[in-house]
Structures are given as C-alpha cells and as structure tokens.
Amino acid sequence: MSKLHVIGGGLAGSEAAWQAAESGAAVILHEMRPVAGTAAHQTDALAELVCSNSFRSDDAANNAVGLLHEEMRRADSLIMRTADAHKLPAGGALAVDRHGFSAAVTRALEQHPHITIVREEITALPAADWGSVIIASGPLTSAPLGQAIAQATGAEHLAFFDAIAPIVHRESINFDIAWFQSRYDKEGPGGGVADYINLPMDEAQYKAFVTALLEGEKADFKEWEKSTPYFEACLPIEVMAARGLETLRFGPMKPVGLQDPRTQARPHAVVQLRQDNALGTLWNMVGFQTKLRHGEQARVFRMIPGLENAQFARLGGLHRNTFINSPRLLDSQLRLKSQPHLRFAGQMTGVEGYVESAAIGLLAGRFAAAEIAGGAEYPPPPTTALGALLSHITGGAVASLFQPMNVNFGLFPPLPGGGKNRGKDRKQLLSARALTDLDGWVAAGTRQSAAE
Ligand SMILES: Cc1cc2nc3c(=O)[nH]c(=O)nc-3n(C[C@H](O)[C@H](O)[C@H](O)COP(=O)(O)OP(=O)(O)OC[C@H]3O[C@@H](n4cnc5c(N)ncnc54)[C@H](O)[C@@H]3O)c2cc1C
C-alpha cells in the first residue's frame, strides 16, 4: 500500500497522522523542528501550543467549540484524548498542561507502528510521485514551502497581517433600526439591490463612537510581528479614527447613497454589514478590522444603533497568518483541485484555533486513508460541528471575503421551524442534532470504508 506523507507535526498534522495510521495507512510525518524553527515555537515537541494553553469552552451542549471537542472525542481524536488526560482546573474551559500534553502526543505518534517521524524541512511542494500528501505546516509555514504554495495557488504571498473584521450573528441584530439596502441601490453580482445591512448614526452618536474607539484599549504587536508588512488598504479602524474626526465618515462609515427608511433621510454615518456565509446567518462588519482588545470590541461595537445586543461569531484582529483561499482552491475532501494528490489541513485551510486546526487534521487524515485504501469517502453531515466547519471552508464561505474562522453555531444549517427556537434552546437543539448525526457518521464513516 502506498504511504501517506504529512508535512508539519503541529495540531493538525499530529491528528491527521494519528487518524490515518489508526485507519491502517502507513504514514511518514515530516516535521522541521528542531532542524529549523519558527518565530513562535519553543520546543521540538509535536502539537506544541504556541500561545494560550486553553482549548476554550468544554460545554458541548451550549457552545460550538465544546461541541467540536465532543465530536472529536467520539471520532477517536488523539488531540482530544491527550488534552483530557492533561487537563488543568479552568472552570468550564478545557485547559491543559502544555508540556505534558505535547510530550504525550509526541510519544503516541513515535510509538505508533504505522508512523515514521522524519525531522526535516520540506522546501518544495511534493510531486505526484510522492503519492498522497497532507500539508499541515501551519500559520508559520517556513518561507520556501510558503512560496511554493503561493505559486501553486496563484496567490502573490501568503504571509501577511490578516485584517479580520468582526462577524455578527444576524439573529442578534435589531431590525427595528437596521435595514437592507445597497449603496445607491446598485445591483450586485447576484442581482440584488439590497445586499447590505445598514446601521445609522446621528452626529452625537458618531462623535461618541469615535471617542470610544480612540480611548479603547488596544492589543500590542508581538516583537516578531513588527517585521511583517501591512497594507494601507486594511488599516485598523481605530488608526483611521485617529487621523481625524471625519476620516471614518469618508471611509468605511460613509453614508452616501443610503437612506434610512424610518426618517427618509441620509444618516450622518452608517455602518454596513455584508453577508459572510451562504446560509445568511453571519454578517461581516465592513471595514471594521481592529486591534482593540476583545472585551473592548464588544463594548464599543454595541454602541452602534441596532447592535445593542449583538452576538459576535468572531471578533476582529490583525495578526500574521498563512492561509489559502480554501473555498476557491479545495474540493470537499480538502484536496487541491489543481493537484489532487495534495490535501491541506489545519490553520492553512482558513480555520482559526487549536481545536479547529486539529479537527480539519482529523478529517484530512481519514479522507486520505480511505482514498489510499480505495474506499469510499463520506464527509461528516453539515449539521455536525466537523461538517459545518468543513462545509464553510470548502464552499460555504464567500471566497472573495474569505478570512480565518472559528467554529460557531452560525455555520450550522438552521433548525426546521426557522426562528422559533432562540438563544440557549436553539444551541442545545443544534448540539443534540449534531451529536446524533455525528454518531451516524462515525458508525458508517471513512474509517470503516477504508477497511472494506
Ligand atoms: C503566534 C500565534 C499564536 C496563536 N495563539 C493561539 C491561541 O492562543 N489559541 C488558539 O486556539 N490558536 C492560536 N493560534 C492559531 C492556531 O490555532 C495555531 O497556530 C495552531 O497551532 C495551528 O495548528 P496547525 O497544525 O495548523 O499549525 P502548527 O501547530 O503551527 O503546526 C505546523 C507545524 O509545521 C511545521 N512546519 C512549518 N513549515 C514546515 C516545513 N516547511 N517542513 C516541515 N515542517 C514544517 C512547524 O514547525 C509546526 O510544527 C496562534 C497562532 C499564532 C501564529
């Protein structure tokens, strides 16, 4: 049987190698540390946690990342099993002893009879004669490999500051204030003339908002982040605000071409939200990339009329990252459409976070093993957290707006009956549906088909 090559032994690569090996595939895991380092990793251990030691909420009934934990446990995840074994007290969150955790992942992979670990940097994209490959080299992919990926995917460069704007759950927007309209009622590519959600401000509200932005506490750049370029076109909103009171009113908050249906007048300033996913459940705050601290973002952005009770699926930020435009480039099995022997996994695919990265590794490992064994491949249903995340990055997200994404309930297909169930009830129903569907997938899924 041909071998599976996994490039990068981080959160995604470790999980992918484990899943594929447990499915019977022979795996070669290529990890460049300690031969070459990254700006953030400190050790040569596999699955090193580069920053926080938290896997976030472990509440499977009410929180999407908690649900993802539970689904991964049921799918025999090495990362989750090891995290559980090295858990520290952290309230409702799953925090781990980082050294114990990564040492145990390293040991499990080293001792697996189907896995060989090679400590080397891969500097070019493997040719088709390597057979099946998973690229899981992460947000700090080494420069030569990053350049090779950029060339193959047509991107000018992959490492840059992400300009991440907050994303709001549509159901938390107050439509007594908000209205749908495109600027100048201009027809969009889909034929609609009301593609944006608009939130109006009068002069006093605008001045108070600009003051709050300027006074809000900002996150600092880390030393190594300072050397990465960032672009005038994606300046943080608070940097624009500091250039003068009117700068935002002539930039992302300009009111021209818009009329508030309640007053029949043009507001003093307008915040616009643009649809972010095919389901229409998530809306992106246009031009609102920011380095305000997360708590400050929620406080300041809830000053915007219509967002008083906003729930954020993702808060904004600017940080260095490496990721590809997965909705455009990958098929539903995480294969590069132009070179299907190459799969991608982890943060490179445009998911955000330790758990999400490992989750995509889990899927890539299973898909690759099933393919090598000549079996059929079944993606998890989109009603599960694993499936919702996969669907988002391989087609559900709007490709031209694609930015890294955490798992959240806005990615799930709505429950039958639409808006009847809200808040906590809705989350619990979505979670219960997800776990039932996940159990069905695990029972009939790729691991089984690989063995057939
Ligand atoms: C500075 C920073 C802080 C972050 N903090 C958090 C946080 O606190 N919480 C959170 O949930 N997420 C955080 N993230 C986001 C993300 O979840 C993590 O980066 C996560 O580790 C991504 O998993 P991964 O497997 O895709 O990449 P990684 O875990 O980074 O694994 C990639 C592996 O590939 C190796 N590699 C790179 N290039 C090559 C090559 N050419 N050949 C061979 N091996 C190679 C690397 O050495 C590394 O071991 C952070 C990201 C960064 C950059």
Side-chain angles (χ1 to χ4, degrees), residues 7-13 30-33 38 40-41 50-52 120-122 136-142 145 224 346-347 353-354 357:
I7 302 177
L11 274 299
H30 307 259
E31 167 53 54
M32 71 177 182
R33 289 175 293 119
T38 80
H41 290 84
V50 285
C51 189
S52 140
E120 62 176 352
E121 179 185 356
I122 302 296
S137 46
L140 305 170
T141 292
S142 72
L145 182 61
W224 61 270
Q347 185 106 350
Y354 299 147
S357 297

PDB file of all heavy atoms in Angstrom, residues 7-13 30-33 38 40-41 50-52 120-122 136-142 145 224 346-347 353-354 357, ligand 1:
ATOM      1  N   ILE A   7       3.034  16.772   6.140  1.00  0.00           N
ATOM      2  CA  ILE A   7       4.063  17.806   6.334  1.00  0.00           C
ATOM      3  C   ILE A   7       3.627  18.719   7.467  1.00  0.00           C
ATOM      4  O   ILE A   7       2.627  19.431   7.364  1.00  0.00           O
ATOM      5  CB  ILE A   7       4.274  18.617   5.037  1.00  0.00           C
ATOM      6  CG1 ILE A   7       4.683  17.675   3.900  1.00  0.00           C
ATOM      7  CG2 ILE A   7       5.326  19.712   5.265  1.00  0.00           C
ATOM      8  CD1 ILE A   7       4.836  18.354   2.559  1.00  0.00           C
ATOM      9  N   GLY A   8       4.378  18.686   8.572  1.00  0.00           N
ATOM     10  CA  GLY A   8       4.069  19.518   9.739  1.00  0.00           C
ATOM     11  C   GLY A   8       3.447  18.681  10.848  1.00  0.00           C
ATOM     12  O   GLY A   8       2.398  18.073  10.655  1.00  0.00           O
ATOM     13  N   GLY A   9       4.127  18.662  11.989  1.00  0.00           N
ATOM     14  CA  GLY A   9       3.628  17.875  13.138  1.00  0.00           C
ATOM     15  C   GLY A   9       3.082  18.795  14.210  1.00  0.00           C
ATOM     16  O   GLY A   9       3.425  18.703  15.382  1.00  0.00           O
ATOM     17  N   GLY A  10       2.200  19.715  13.814  1.00  0.00           N
ATOM     18  CA  GLY A  10       1.532  20.585  14.779  1.00  0.00           C
ATOM     19  C   GLY A  10       0.204  19.970  15.191  1.00  0.00           C
ATOM     20  O   GLY A  10       0.035  18.734  15.196  1.00  0.00           O
ATOM     21  N   LEU A  11      -0.762  20.822  15.523  1.00  0.00           N
ATOM     22  CA  LEU A  11      -2.065  20.323  15.972  1.00  0.00           C
ATOM     23  C   LEU A  11      -2.745  19.506  14.871  1.00  0.00           C
ATOM     24  O   LEU A  11      -3.263  18.416  15.105  1.00  0.00           O
ATOM     25  CB  LEU A  11      -2.970  21.513  16.361  1.00  0.00           C
ATOM     26  CG  LEU A  11      -2.871  22.071  17.781  1.00  0.00           C
ATOM     27  CD1 LEU A  11      -3.217  21.025  18.818  1.00  0.00           C
ATOM     28  CD2 LEU A  11      -1.525  22.647  18.096  1.00  0.00           C
ATOM     29  N   ALA A  12      -2.728  20.037  13.648  1.00  0.00           N
ATOM     30  CA  ALA A  12      -3.429  19.363  12.548  1.00  0.00           C
ATOM     31  C   ALA A  12      -2.663  18.145  12.055  1.00  0.00           C
ATOM     32  O   ALA A  12      -3.246  17.069  11.860  1.00  0.00           O
ATOM     33  CB  ALA A  12      -3.645  20.345  11.396  1.00  0.00           C
ATOM     34  N   GLY A  13      -1.348  18.306  11.845  1.00  0.00           N
ATOM     35  CA  GLY A  13      -0.557  17.208  11.285  1.00  0.00           C
ATOM     36  C   GLY A  13      -0.507  16.007  12.227  1.00  0.00           C
ATOM     37  O   GLY A  13      -0.565  14.858  11.780  1.00  0.00           O
ATOM     38  N   HIS A  30       6.607  14.509   8.434  1.00  0.00           N
ATOM     39  CA  HIS A  30       7.806  15.354   8.270  1.00  0.00           C
ATOM     40  C   HIS A  30       7.643  16.597   9.138  1.00  0.00           C
ATOM     41  O   HIS A  30       6.741  17.401   8.882  1.00  0.00           O
ATOM     42  CB  HIS A  30       7.957  15.801   6.809  1.00  0.00           C
ATOM     43  CG  HIS A  30       7.927  14.682   5.820  1.00  0.00           C
ATOM     44  ND1 HIS A  30       9.061  14.164   5.251  1.00  0.00           N
ATOM     45  CD2 HIS A  30       6.889  13.969   5.294  1.00  0.00           C
ATOM     46  CE1 HIS A  30       8.735  13.186   4.409  1.00  0.00           C
ATOM     47  NE2 HIS A  30       7.413  13.044   4.418  1.00  0.00           N
ATOM     48  N   GLU A  31       8.469  16.752  10.136  1.00  0.00           N
ATOM     49  CA  GLU A  31       8.405  17.943  10.999  1.00  0.00           C
ATOM     50  C   GLU A  31       9.784  18.609  10.990  1.00  0.00           C
ATOM     51  O   GLU A  31      10.786  17.961  11.257  1.00  0.00           O
ATOM     52  CB  GLU A  31       7.997  17.542  12.419  1.00  0.00           C
ATOM     53  CG  GLU A  31       8.199  18.604  13.472  1.00  0.00           C
ATOM     54  CD  GLU A  31       7.548  19.956  13.147  1.00  0.00           C
ATOM     55  OE1 GLU A  31       6.337  19.990  12.861  1.00  0.00           O
ATOM     56  OE2 GLU A  31       8.270  20.985  13.153  1.00  0.00           O
ATOM     57  N   MET A  32       9.801  19.926  10.738  1.00  0.00           N
ATOM     58  CA  MET A  32      11.110  20.584  10.561  1.00  0.00           C
ATOM     59  C   MET A  32      11.818  20.910  11.875  1.00  0.00           C
ATOM     60  O   MET A  32      13.030  21.097  11.898  1.00  0.00           O
ATOM     61  CB  MET A  32      10.966  21.851   9.728  1.00  0.00           C
ATOM     62  CG  MET A  32      10.279  22.987  10.415  1.00  0.00           C
ATOM     63  SD  MET A  32      10.277  24.433   9.314  1.00  0.00           S
ATOM     64  CE  MET A  32       9.486  25.633  10.382  1.00  0.00           C
ATOM     65  N   ARG A  33      11.045  21.029  12.986  1.00  0.00           N
ATOM     66  CA  ARG A  33      11.724  21.319  14.253  1.00  0.00           C
ATOM     67  C   ARG A  33      12.420  20.056  14.782  1.00  0.00           C
ATOM     68  O   ARG A  33      11.861  18.974  14.607  1.00  0.00           O
ATOM     69  CB  ARG A  33      10.701  21.829  15.281  1.00  0.00           C
ATOM     70  CG  ARG A  33      10.197  23.220  14.975  1.00  0.00           C
ATOM     71  CD  ARG A  33       9.099  23.667  15.913  1.00  0.00           C
ATOM     72  NE  ARG A  33       7.880  22.903  15.768  1.00  0.00           N
ATOM     73  CZ  ARG A  33       7.323  22.162  16.729  1.00  0.00           C
ATOM     74  NH1 ARG A  33       7.867  22.104  17.922  1.00  0.00           N
ATOM     75  NH2 ARG A  33       6.210  21.482  16.510  1.00  0.00           N
ATOM     76  N   THR A  38      10.501  28.068  14.154  1.00  0.00           N
ATOM     77  CA  THR A  38       9.554  29.113  13.746  1.00  0.00           C
ATOM     78  C   THR A  38       9.707  30.262  14.743  1.00  0.00           C
ATOM     79  O   THR A  38      10.398  30.118  15.759  1.00  0.00           O
ATOM     80  CB  THR A  38       8.076  28.642  13.777  1.00  0.00           C
ATOM     81  OG1 THR A  38       7.606  28.685  15.134  1.00  0.00           O
ATOM     82  CG2 THR A  38       7.886  27.246  13.214  1.00  0.00           C
ATOM     83  N   ALA A  40       7.549  31.318  16.747  1.00  0.00           N
ATOM     84  CA  ALA A  40       6.735  31.166  17.963  1.00  0.00           C
ATOM     85  C   ALA A  40       6.980  29.863  18.720  1.00  0.00           C
ATOM     86  O   ALA A  40       6.838  29.823  19.932  1.00  0.00           O
ATOM     87  CB  ALA A  40       5.252  31.272  17.601  1.00  0.00           C
ATOM     88  N   HIS A  41       7.315  28.780  18.020  1.00  0.00           N
ATOM     89  CA  HIS A  41       7.511  27.500  18.719  1.00  0.00           C
ATOM     90  C   HIS A  41       8.791  27.558  19.557  1.00  0.00           C
ATOM     91  O   HIS A  41       9.789  28.149  19.149  1.00  0.00           O
ATOM     92  CB  HIS A  41       7.609  26.340  17.718  1.00  0.00           C
ATOM     93  CG  HIS A  41       6.320  26.018  17.032  1.00  0.00           C
ATOM     94  ND1 HIS A  41       5.882  26.697  15.913  1.00  0.00           N
ATOM     95  CD2 HIS A  41       5.361  25.102  17.310  1.00  0.00           C
ATOM     96  CE1 HIS A  41       4.708  26.201  15.530  1.00  0.00           C
ATOM     97  NE2 HIS A  41       4.370  25.235  16.371  1.00  0.00           N
ATOM     98  N   VAL A  50       1.452  27.143  20.853  1.00  0.00           N
ATOM     99  CA  VAL A  50       2.380  28.282  20.750  1.00  0.00           C
ATOM    100  C   VAL A  50       1.998  29.442  21.653  1.00  0.00           C
ATOM    101  O   VAL A  50       2.803  30.332  21.880  1.00  0.00           O
ATOM    102  CB  VAL A  50       2.507  28.805  19.298  1.00  0.00           C
ATOM    103  CG1 VAL A  50       3.339  27.876  18.461  1.00  0.00           C
ATOM    104  CG2 VAL A  50       1.157  29.090  18.675  1.00  0.00           C
ATOM    105  N   CYS A  51       0.786  29.472  22.171  1.00  0.00           N
ATOM    106  CA  CYS A  51       0.404  30.646  22.954  1.00  0.00           C
ATOM    107  C   CYS A  51      -0.393  30.192  24.172  1.00  0.00           C
ATOM    108  O   CYS A  51       0.163  29.663  25.119  1.00  0.00           O
ATOM    109  CB  CYS A  51      -0.376  31.597  22.044  1.00  0.00           C
ATOM    110  SG  CYS A  51      -0.688  33.185  22.767  1.00  0.00           S
ATOM    111  N   SER A  52      -1.704  30.383  24.159  1.00  0.00           N
ATOM    112  CA  SER A  52      -2.517  30.005  25.317  1.00  0.00           C
ATOM    113  C   SER A  52      -2.492  28.482  25.495  1.00  0.00           C
ATOM    114  O   SER A  52      -2.176  27.740  24.563  1.00  0.00           O
ATOM    115  CB  SER A  52      -3.947  30.505  25.052  1.00  0.00           C
ATOM    116  OG  SER A  52      -4.890  29.590  25.472  1.00  0.00           O
ATOM    117  N   GLU A 120      12.774  16.988   9.280  1.00  0.00           N
ATOM    118  CA  GLU A 120      13.364  17.688   8.129  1.00  0.00           C
ATOM    119  C   GLU A 120      12.398  18.759   7.637  1.00  0.00           C
ATOM    120  O   GLU A 120      11.183  18.646   7.795  1.00  0.00           O
ATOM    121  CB  GLU A 120      13.645  16.708   6.981  1.00  0.00           C
ATOM    122  CG  GLU A 120      12.380  16.053   6.451  1.00  0.00           C
ATOM    123  CD  GLU A 120      12.607  15.150   5.243  1.00  0.00           C
ATOM    124  OE1 GLU A 120      13.714  15.130   4.709  1.00  0.00           O
ATOM    125  OE2 GLU A 120      11.658  14.457   4.848  1.00  0.00           O
ATOM    126  N   GLU A 121      12.990  19.792   7.037  1.00  0.00           N
ATOM    127  CA  GLU A 121      12.156  20.845   6.453  1.00  0.00           C
ATOM    128  C   GLU A 121      11.834  20.461   5.010  1.00  0.00           C
ATOM    129  O   GLU A 121      12.725  20.116   4.236  1.00  0.00           O
ATOM    130  CB  GLU A 121      12.909  22.186   6.484  1.00  0.00           C
ATOM    131  CG  GLU A 121      12.089  23.311   5.859  1.00  0.00           C
ATOM    132  CD  GLU A 121      12.859  24.635   5.778  1.00  0.00           C
ATOM    133  OE1 GLU A 121      14.004  24.720   6.278  1.00  0.00           O
ATOM    134  OE2 GLU A 121      12.298  25.579   5.185  1.00  0.00           O
ATOM    135  N   ILE A 122      10.572  20.527   4.659  1.00  0.00           N
ATOM    136  CA  ILE A 122      10.178  20.309   3.262  1.00  0.00           C
ATOM    137  C   ILE A 122      10.172  21.693   2.595  1.00  0.00           C
ATOM    138  O   ILE A 122       9.506  22.612   3.078  1.00  0.00           O
ATOM    139  CB  ILE A 122       8.780  19.652   3.175  1.00  0.00           C
ATOM    140  CG1 ILE A 122       8.773  18.308   3.926  1.00  0.00           C
ATOM    141  CG2 ILE A 122       8.330  19.488   1.727  1.00  0.00           C
ATOM    142  CD1 ILE A 122       9.667  17.241   3.370  1.00  0.00           C
ATOM    143  N   ALA A 136       0.229  20.408   6.387  1.00  0.00           N
ATOM    144  CA  ALA A 136      -0.314  20.950   7.646  1.00  0.00           C
ATOM    145  C   ALA A 136       0.790  21.746   8.326  1.00  0.00           C
ATOM    146  O   ALA A 136       1.096  21.554   9.493  1.00  0.00           O
ATOM    147  CB  ALA A 136      -0.798  19.801   8.533  1.00  0.00           C
ATOM    148  N   SER A 137       1.402  22.652   7.556  1.00  0.00           N
ATOM    149  CA  SER A 137       2.585  23.365   8.046  1.00  0.00           C
ATOM    150  C   SER A 137       2.233  24.644   8.800  1.00  0.00           C
ATOM    151  O   SER A 137       3.115  25.343   9.275  1.00  0.00           O
ATOM    152  CB  SER A 137       3.554  23.631   6.891  1.00  0.00           C
ATOM    153  OG  SER A 137       2.863  24.136   5.782  1.00  0.00           O
ATOM    154  N   GLY A 138       0.960  24.962   8.901  1.00  0.00           N
ATOM    155  CA  GLY A 138       0.503  25.952   9.864  1.00  0.00           C
ATOM    156  C   GLY A 138       0.711  27.412   9.486  1.00  0.00           C
ATOM    157  O   GLY A 138       1.218  27.735   8.414  1.00  0.00           O
ATOM    158  N   PRO A 139       0.315  28.304  10.413  1.00  0.00           N
ATOM    159  CA  PRO A 139       0.378  29.745  10.139  1.00  0.00           C
ATOM    160  C   PRO A 139       1.809  30.263  10.011  1.00  0.00           C
ATOM    161  O   PRO A 139       2.027  31.337   9.477  1.00  0.00           O
ATOM    162  CB  PRO A 139      -0.306  30.371  11.358  1.00  0.00           C
ATOM    163  CG  PRO A 139      -0.258  29.339  12.431  1.00  0.00           C
ATOM    164  CD  PRO A 139      -0.268  28.019  11.738  1.00  0.00           C
ATOM    165  N   LEU A 140       2.787  29.469  10.499  1.00  0.00           N
ATOM    166  CA  LEU A 140       4.180  29.915  10.433  1.00  0.00           C
ATOM    167  C   LEU A 140       4.971  29.004   9.498  1.00  0.00           C
ATOM    168  O   LEU A 140       6.153  28.732   9.719  1.00  0.00           O
ATOM    169  CB  LEU A 140       4.771  29.927  11.849  1.00  0.00           C
ATOM    170  CG  LEU A 140       3.952  30.766  12.840  1.00  0.00           C
ATOM    171  CD1 LEU A 140       4.429  30.545  14.270  1.00  0.00           C
ATOM    172  CD2 LEU A 140       3.998  32.241  12.488  1.00  0.00           C
ATOM    173  N   THR A 141       4.318  28.540   8.442  1.00  0.00           N
ATOM    174  CA  THR A 141       4.971  27.728   7.403  1.00  0.00           C
ATOM    175  C   THR A 141       6.307  28.351   7.002  1.00  0.00           C
ATOM    176  O   THR A 141       6.397  29.564   6.817  1.00  0.00           O
ATOM    177  CB  THR A 141       4.031  27.678   6.165  1.00  0.00           C
ATOM    178  OG1 THR A 141       2.878  26.928   6.533  1.00  0.00           O
ATOM    179  CG2 THR A 141       4.676  27.041   4.963  1.00  0.00           C
ATOM    180  N   SER A 142       7.333  27.512   6.831  1.00  0.00           N
ATOM    181  CA  SER A 142       8.660  28.069   6.504  1.00  0.00           C
ATOM    182  C   SER A 142       8.605  28.729   5.123  1.00  0.00           C
ATOM    183  O   SER A 142       7.790  28.364   4.265  1.00  0.00           O
ATOM    184  CB  SER A 142       9.724  26.979   6.550  1.00  0.00           C
ATOM    185  OG  SER A 142       9.586  26.119   5.449  1.00  0.00           O
ATOM    186  N   LEU A 145       8.627  26.731   1.539  1.00  0.00           N
ATOM    187  CA  LEU A 145       7.382  25.995   1.283  1.00  0.00           C
ATOM    188  C   LEU A 145       6.233  26.982   1.061  1.00  0.00           C
ATOM    189  O   LEU A 145       5.393  26.789   0.169  1.00  0.00           O
ATOM    190  CB  LEU A 145       7.073  25.055   2.456  1.00  0.00           C
ATOM    191  CG  LEU A 145       5.833  24.186   2.290  1.00  0.00           C
ATOM    192  CD1 LEU A 145       5.956  23.261   1.070  1.00  0.00           C
ATOM    193  CD2 LEU A 145       5.566  23.332   3.540  1.00  0.00           C
ATOM    194  N   TRP A 224       8.041  39.894  16.906  1.00  0.00           N
ATOM    195  CA  TRP A 224       8.259  39.303  15.584  1.00  0.00           C
ATOM    196  C   TRP A 224       7.187  39.695  14.580  1.00  0.00           C
ATOM    197  O   TRP A 224       7.364  39.603  13.387  1.00  0.00           O
ATOM    198  CB  TRP A 224       8.389  37.780  15.669  1.00  0.00           C
ATOM    199  CG  TRP A 224       7.194  37.079  16.217  1.00  0.00           C
ATOM    200  CD1 TRP A 224       6.950  36.779  17.522  1.00  0.00           C
ATOM    201  CD2 TRP A 224       6.068  36.592  15.501  1.00  0.00           C
ATOM    202  NE1 TRP A 224       5.749  36.151  17.649  1.00  0.00           N
ATOM    203  CE2 TRP A 224       5.182  36.020  16.428  1.00  0.00           C
ATOM    204  CE3 TRP A 224       5.708  36.586  14.146  1.00  0.00           C
ATOM    205  CZ2 TRP A 224       3.971  35.458  16.068  1.00  0.00           C
ATOM    206  CZ3 TRP A 224       4.500  36.012  13.775  1.00  0.00           C
ATOM    207  CH2 TRP A 224       3.651  35.463  14.734  1.00  0.00           C
ATOM    208  N   GLY A 346      -5.480  22.056   8.845  1.00  0.00           N
ATOM    209  CA  GLY A 346      -5.041  22.990   9.889  1.00  0.00           C
ATOM    210  C   GLY A 346      -5.308  24.432   9.535  1.00  0.00           C
ATOM    211  O   GLY A 346      -6.122  24.752   8.663  1.00  0.00           O
ATOM    212  N   GLN A 347      -4.582  25.296  10.227  1.00  0.00           N
ATOM    213  CA  GLN A 347      -4.804  26.734  10.094  1.00  0.00           C
ATOM    214  C   GLN A 347      -4.620  27.211   8.652  1.00  0.00           C
ATOM    215  O   GLN A 347      -5.254  28.164   8.225  1.00  0.00           O
ATOM    216  CB  GLN A 347      -3.820  27.464  11.020  1.00  0.00           C
ATOM    217  CG  GLN A 347      -4.010  28.959  11.089  1.00  0.00           C
ATOM    218  CD  GLN A 347      -4.651  29.409  12.386  1.00  0.00           C
ATOM    219  OE1 GLN A 347      -5.130  28.595  13.164  1.00  0.00           O
ATOM    220  NE2 GLN A 347      -4.673  30.698  12.623  1.00  0.00           N
ATOM    221  N   GLY A 353      -7.666  28.537  15.277  1.00  0.00           N
ATOM    222  CA  GLY A 353      -7.668  27.965  16.629  1.00  0.00           C
ATOM    223  C   GLY A 353      -7.095  26.558  16.676  1.00  0.00           C
ATOM    224  O   GLY A 353      -7.080  25.834  15.685  1.00  0.00           O
ATOM    225  N   TYR A 354      -6.614  26.194  17.873  1.00  0.00           N
ATOM    226  CA  TYR A 354      -6.014  24.875  18.072  1.00  0.00           C
ATOM    227  C   TYR A 354      -7.012  23.759  17.720  1.00  0.00           C
ATOM    228  O   TYR A 354      -6.682  22.804  17.028  1.00  0.00           O
ATOM    229  CB  TYR A 354      -5.629  24.671  19.539  1.00  0.00           C
ATOM    230  CG  TYR A 354      -4.622  25.626  20.129  1.00  0.00           C
ATOM    231  CD1 TYR A 354      -4.714  25.985  21.474  1.00  0.00           C
ATOM    232  CD2 TYR A 354      -3.562  26.134  19.381  1.00  0.00           C
ATOM    233  CE1 TYR A 354      -3.785  26.827  22.065  1.00  0.00           C
ATOM    234  CE2 TYR A 354      -2.633  26.985  19.965  1.00  0.00           C
ATOM    235  CZ  TYR A 354      -2.742  27.339  21.302  1.00  0.00           C
ATOM    236  OH  TYR A 354      -1.834  28.171  21.887  1.00  0.00           O
ATOM    237  N   SER A 357      -8.061  23.596  14.049  1.00  0.00           N
ATOM    238  CA  SER A 357      -6.951  23.095  13.225  1.00  0.00           C
ATOM    239  C   SER A 357      -6.853  21.576  13.345  1.00  0.00           C
ATOM    240  O   SER A 357      -6.744  20.857  12.349  1.00  0.00           O
ATOM    241  CB  SER A 357      -5.628  23.740  13.663  1.00  0.00           C
ATOM    242  OG  SER A 357      -5.679  25.126  13.444  1.00  0.00           O
TER     243      SER A 357
HETATM  244  C1  LIG B   1       1.667  33.391  17.397  1.00  0.00           C
HETATM  245  C2  LIG B   1       0.407  32.598  17.337  1.00  0.00           C
HETATM  246  C3  LIG B   1      -0.358  32.442  18.483  1.00  0.00           C
HETATM  247  C4  LIG B   1      -1.538  31.687  18.448  1.00  0.00           C
HETATM  248  N1  LIG B   1      -2.231  31.522  19.592  1.00  0.00           N
HETATM  249  C5  LIG B   1      -3.320  30.743  19.608  1.00  0.00           C
HETATM  250  C6  LIG B   1      -4.036  30.511  20.842  1.00  0.00           C
HETATM  251  O1  LIG B   1      -3.666  31.021  21.879  1.00  0.00           O
HETATM  252  N2  LIG B   1      -5.113  29.713  20.808  1.00  0.00           N
HETATM  253  C7  LIG B   1      -5.547  29.123  19.657  1.00  0.00           C
HETATM  254  O2  LIG B   1      -6.527  28.384  19.707  1.00  0.00           O
HETATM  255  N3  LIG B   1      -4.909  29.349  18.475  1.00  0.00           N
HETATM  256  C8  LIG B   1      -3.816  30.134  18.424  1.00  0.00           C
HETATM  257  N4  LIG B   1      -3.152  30.357  17.250  1.00  0.00           N
HETATM  258  C9  LIG B   1      -3.732  29.871  15.998  1.00  0.00           C
HETATM  259  C10 LIG B   1      -3.599  28.366  15.649  1.00  0.00           C
HETATM  260  O3  LIG B   1      -4.609  27.679  16.247  1.00  0.00           O
HETATM  261  C11 LIG B   1      -2.347  27.706  15.996  1.00  0.00           C
HETATM  262  O4  LIG B   1      -1.341  28.347  15.265  1.00  0.00           O
HETATM  263  C12 LIG B   1      -2.338  26.177  15.683  1.00  0.00           C
HETATM  264  O5  LIG B   1      -1.141  25.667  16.197  1.00  0.00           O
HETATM  265  C13 LIG B   1      -2.485  25.835  14.228  1.00  0.00           C
HETATM  266  O6  LIG B   1      -2.326  24.441  14.021  1.00  0.00           O
HETATM  267  P1  LIG B   1      -1.575  23.892  12.726  1.00  0.00           P
HETATM  268  O7  LIG B   1      -1.392  22.436  12.893  1.00  0.00           O
HETATM  269  O8  LIG B   1      -2.250  24.375  11.522  1.00  0.00           O
HETATM  270  O9  LIG B   1      -0.144  24.610  12.772  1.00  0.00           O
HETATM  271  P2  LIG B   1       1.034  24.396  13.841  1.00  0.00           P
HETATM  272  O10 LIG B   1       0.503  23.875  15.107  1.00  0.00           O
HETATM  273  O11 LIG B   1       1.824  25.651  13.832  1.00  0.00           O
HETATM  274  O12 LIG B   1       1.886  23.230  13.173  1.00  0.00           O
HETATM  275  C14 LIG B   1       2.601  23.397  11.984  1.00  0.00           C
HETATM  276  C15 LIG B   1       3.872  22.579  12.076  1.00  0.00           C
HETATM  277  O13 LIG B   1       4.501  22.575  10.798  1.00  0.00           O
HETATM  278  C16 LIG B   1       5.904  22.721  10.966  1.00  0.00           C
HETATM  279  N5  LIG B   1       6.432  23.258   9.701  1.00  0.00           N
HETATM  280  C17 LIG B   1       6.293  24.506   9.194  1.00  0.00           C
HETATM  281  N6  LIG B   1       6.878  24.574   7.966  1.00  0.00           N
HETATM  282  C18 LIG B   1       7.395  23.339   7.712  1.00  0.00           C
HETATM  283  C19 LIG B   1       8.119  22.789   6.608  1.00  0.00           C
HETATM  284  N7  LIG B   1       8.447  23.512   5.551  1.00  0.00           N
HETATM  285  N8  LIG B   1       8.509  21.480   6.668  1.00  0.00           N
HETATM  286  C20 LIG B   1       8.199  20.725   7.771  1.00  0.00           C
HETATM  287  N9  LIG B   1       7.526  21.193   8.844  1.00  0.00           N
HETATM  288  C21 LIG B   1       7.114  22.499   8.803  1.00  0.00           C
HETATM  289  C22 LIG B   1       6.020  23.644  12.169  1.00  0.00           C
HETATM  290  O14 LIG B   1       7.264  23.511  12.811  1.00  0.00           O
HETATM  291  C23 LIG B   1       4.870  23.159  13.059  1.00  0.00           C
HETATM  292  O15 LIG B   1       5.261  22.146  13.952  1.00  0.00           O
HETATM  293  C24 LIG B   1      -1.977  31.101  17.230  1.00  0.00           C
HETATM  294  C25 LIG B   1      -1.227  31.281  16.086  1.00  0.00           C
HETATM  295  C26 LIG B   1      -0.036  32.007  16.127  1.00  0.00           C
HETATM  296  C27 LIG B   1       0.767  32.155  14.877  1.00  0.00           C
END
